Amino acid sequence: MLELYVSEVCPYCHKVEKYLSDNNIEYTERDIAGQENMEKLLQLGGKMQVPFFHDTEKNVTMYESDDIVKYVKENYAA
């Protein structure tokens, strides 16, 4: 499962969301406005920064939007 931790006001989050949506890639969005999602982000990544991507199948995590798009393109794009 692909998880994307986001904030509504983050332009880099919107960039990743647009790529995933445009390419019909399923993911779970986790808005850090919710306390539980914010705590999980800190537990997984160690810092309060979004976007934060977590590929639960491969246990891959990353923060940078360009890196996230590149990873998804290489591993999940049709």
Side-chain angles (χ1 to χ4, degrees):
M1 173 173 61
L2 305 181
E3 298 178 322
L4 184 64
Y5 290 78
V6 299
S7 170
E8 191 175 296
V9 297
C10 169
Y12 300 105
C13 297
H14 297 303
K15 176 181 180 176
V16 176
E17 290 169 316
K18 180 172 176 13
Y19 175 80
L20 294 171
S21 176
D22 288 352
N23 289 279
N24 298 315
I25 296 170
E26 291 186 32
Y27 69 101
T28 300
E29 180 180 295
R30 306 225 185 265
D31 190 332
I32 63 163
Q35 183 71 26
E36 186 177 326
N37 288 336
M38 184 174 59
E39 290 173 2
K40 188 71 173 176
L41 166 65
L42 289 172
Q43 178 187 358
L44 287 169
K47 59 184 174 176
M48 183 59 71
Q49 179 182 328
V50 290
F52 177 74
F53 174 82
H54 182 209
D55 181 345
T56 61
E57 300 291 318
K58 299 178 182 179
N59 199 29
V60 172
T61 60
M62 60 188 70
Y63 281 100
E64 298 299 322
S65 59
D66 289 338
D67 293 341
I68 295 168
V69 169
K70 180 180 177 192
Y71 174 83
V72 172
K73 190 180 288 187
E74 290 174 353
N75 291 276
Y76 292 97

